[in-house]
């Protein structure tokens, strides 16, 4: 989950601004009231909205593959996917393919608007399973629904909860996955962020040694509820992942920490895209192309990828809306 623009509710929440001595009393009180009001609002929301796994968002419709193939898989990737049409992008096809080559069976959970059969013009790994569900609860809702529908995934040795918000991979993901698997950390993300307090960014979360079957993580994902906005999801769930790790004494890490990238108040996965590529990060966040305010940066990224990887980024992006529906 990420956004180039902060929701006004979060713009003053837990940021590392001036030292307290430099702030006015009014500013400090205003921030405290905003934090308390937001927490109260989210708490009340949780009282009236049922968990995703208890409602219509829990139902999965099989599109291709067999769910039983996931029962004995020791490496599983659950990919939350959304598209305006039914033509899947080159990025998603290459991601699933690269995961398959690394030994991961992918479960693609599609929540797009179209009811037409999905089209994979760039191919789909033979081992992949594709399901559809109602778009309730954003990515965390898709992951919760998948874990609920196929409980065996929880106890797999390696589970990657990810989404299709990246362009790429332009290189194999296997070296990164092997690095994660051999580390001591139980939970690993690619990047973290201090954009609105500290969070492990959820577009790529790896869980080891079957810990998703632990009571703490069962309670966490079974309790996921639909939220009003993506930024609510960040505050309610993405930021909570690190807190769950601390509370349960699970070791955690970000492979490319914001501190090492020297990024403080911004989204490191977006503003440090070139540094990340140079460090072996095989993706660029699609936010660069989704946010009009980042158009100039997107052009720089396209030129850099053309020069260093020999790829035309436009080939990897989802098709424009007018071209995304094929019967």
């Amino acid at each position: 989950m990420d956004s180039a623009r902060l929701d006004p509710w979060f713009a003053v929440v837990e940021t590392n601004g001036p030292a307290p001595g430099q702030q006015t009393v009014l500013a400090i009180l205003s921030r405290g009231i905003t934090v308390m009001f937001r927490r109260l609002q989210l708490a009340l929301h949780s009282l009236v909205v049922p968990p995703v796994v208890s409602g219509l968002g829990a139902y999965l419709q099989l599109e291709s593959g067999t769910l039983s193939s996931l029962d004995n898989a020791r490496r599983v990737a659950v990919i939350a996917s959304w598209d305006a049409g039914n033509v899947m992008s080159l990025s998603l096809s290459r991601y699933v393919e690269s995961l398959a080559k690394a030994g991961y069976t992918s479960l693609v959970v599609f929540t797009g608007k179209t009811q037409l059969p999905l089209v994979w013009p760039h191919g789909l790994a033979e081992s992949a399973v594709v399901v559809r569900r109602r778009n309730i609860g954003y990515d965390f809702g898709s992951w919760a629904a998948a874990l609920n529908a196929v409980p065996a995934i929880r106890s797999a040795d390696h589970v990657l909860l990810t989404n299709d918000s990246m362009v790429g991979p332009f290189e194999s993901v296997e070296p990164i996955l092997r690095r994660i698997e051999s580390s001591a950390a139980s939970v690993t993300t690619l990047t973290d962020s201090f954009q609105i307090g500290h969070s492990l960014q959820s577009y790529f979360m790896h869980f080891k040694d079957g810990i998703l079957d632990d009571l703490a993580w069962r309670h966490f994902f079974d309790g996921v509820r639909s939220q009003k906005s993506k930024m609510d999801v960040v505050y309610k769930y993405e930021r909570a992942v690190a807190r769950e790790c601390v509370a349960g004494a699970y070791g955690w890490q970000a492979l490319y920490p914001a501190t090492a990238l020297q990024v403080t108040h911004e989204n490191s996965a977006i503003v440090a895209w070139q540094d990340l590529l140079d460090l072996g990060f095989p993706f660029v966040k699609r936010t660069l192309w989704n946010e009009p305010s980042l158009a100039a940066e997107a052009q720089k990224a396209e030129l850099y990828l053309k020069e260093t990887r020999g790829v035309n980024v436009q080939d990897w992006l989802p098709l424009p809306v007018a071209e995304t529906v094929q019967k």
Side-chain angles (χ1 to χ4, degrees):
M1 303 289 175
D2 53 60
S3 177
R5 300 172 181 171
L6 286 178
D7 183 311
W9 281 112
F10 295 98
V12 296
V13 176
E14 299 186 33
T15 57
N16 297 320
Q22 298 174 312
Q23 296 177 332
T24 65
V25 173
L26 181 61
I28 296 173
L29 289 174
S30 175
R31 186 170 77 171
I33 292 171
T34 300
V35 171
M36 288 189 294
F37 183 76
R38 193 54 168 170
R39 286 176 177 169
L40 176 61
Q41 199 174 43
L42 290 173
L44 291 174
H45 180 77
S46 295
L47 291 176
V48 298
V49 177
V52 170
V53 298
S54 299
L56 294 175
Y59 296 104
L60 305 183
Q61 176 186 338
L62 185 65
E63 173 93 4
S64 62
T66 57
L67 289 174
S68 60
S69 67
L70 298 162
D71 289 342
N72 298 314
R74 304 322 303 161
R75 292 181 172 90
V76 178
V78 182
I79 307 174
S81 174
W82 186 94
D83 200 297
N86 68 325
V87 182
M88 301 297 95
S89 69
L90 174 61
S91 288
L92 183 54
S93 286
R94 292 291 181 269
Y95 193 17
V96 176
E97 177 186 348
S98 191
L99 286 167
K101 289 181 178 178
Y104 282 72
T105 302
S106 290
L107 172 59
V108 180
V109 184
F110 181 77
T111 57
K113 297 178 180 179
T114 179
Q115 296 299 312
L116 293 171
L118 302 182
V119 178
W120 300 80
H122 309 287
L124 176 65
E126 185 177 353
S127 61
V129 181
V130 181
V131 297
R132 307 167 83 122
R133 75 174 193 97
R134 297 195 183 197
N135 190 13
I136 299 173
Y138 293 100
D139 294 345
F140 276 90
S142 288
W143 297 325
L147 295 174
N148 179 67
V150 191
I153 295 176
R154 298 178 188 267
S155 58
D157 293 336
H158 302 281
V159 180
L160 174 63
L161 303 182
T162 184
N163 63 27
D164 61 353
S165 67
M166 296 89 74
V167 184
F170 305 111
E171 301 169 15
S172 170
V173 298
E174 185 167 3
I176 283 178
L177 290 168
R178 296 297 176 257
R179 178 181 167 192
I180 292 171
E181 292 174 1
S182 63
S183 73
S186 296
V187 180
T188 300
T189 61
L190 291 182
T191 53
D192 60 355
S193 173
F194 292 90
Q195 190 179 15
I196 49 172
H198 184 248
S199 66
L200 296 173
Q201 293 190 292
S202 61
Y203 64 89
F204 187 110
M205 301 188 296
H206 186 280
F207 297 81
K208 286 175 59 176
D209 302 326
I211 64 170
L212 287 175
D213 203 30
D214 289 359
L215 183 60
W217 292 110
R218 278 180 168 273
H219 182 267
F220 178 85
F221 283 101
D222 287 350
V224 168
R225 290 169 165 80
S226 177
Q227 301 296 320
K228 295 180 180 180
S229 71
K230 287 186 178 180
M231 295 310 294
D232 283 340
V233 174
V234 171
Y235 192 79
K236 183 70 175 178
Y237 299 119
E238 184 173 89
R239 292 186 60 208
V241 171
R243 293 199 297 269
E244 288 292 330
C245 289
V246 172
Y250 296 101
W252 57 269
Q253 66 174 338
L255 283 191
Y256 305 94
T259 51
L261 295 167
Q262 299 183 331
V263 177
T264 53
H265 305 306
E266 299 174 283
N267 188 327
S268 59
I270 297 173
V271 301
W273 62 265
Q274 184 172 334
D275 291 336
L276 286 166
L277 285 172
D278 292 343
L279 290 169
F281 190 84
F283 305 102
V284 176
K285 288 290 286 180
R286 206 167 67 212
T287 306
L288 287 181
W289 288 269
N290 291 345
E291 288 287 344
S293 62
L294 297 174
E297 204 65 22
Q299 290 180 349
K300 292 179 184 178
E302 288 192 33
L303 180 60
Y304 188 75
L305 285 165
K306 182 69 173 179
E307 293 176 346
T308 60
R309 305 294 195 278
V311 299
N312 180 358
V313 172
Q314 293 299 319
D315 294 339
W316 293 72
L317 294 171
L319 292 172
V321 174
E323 303 175 29
T324 55
V325 177
Q326 291 186 5
K327 296 183 179 179

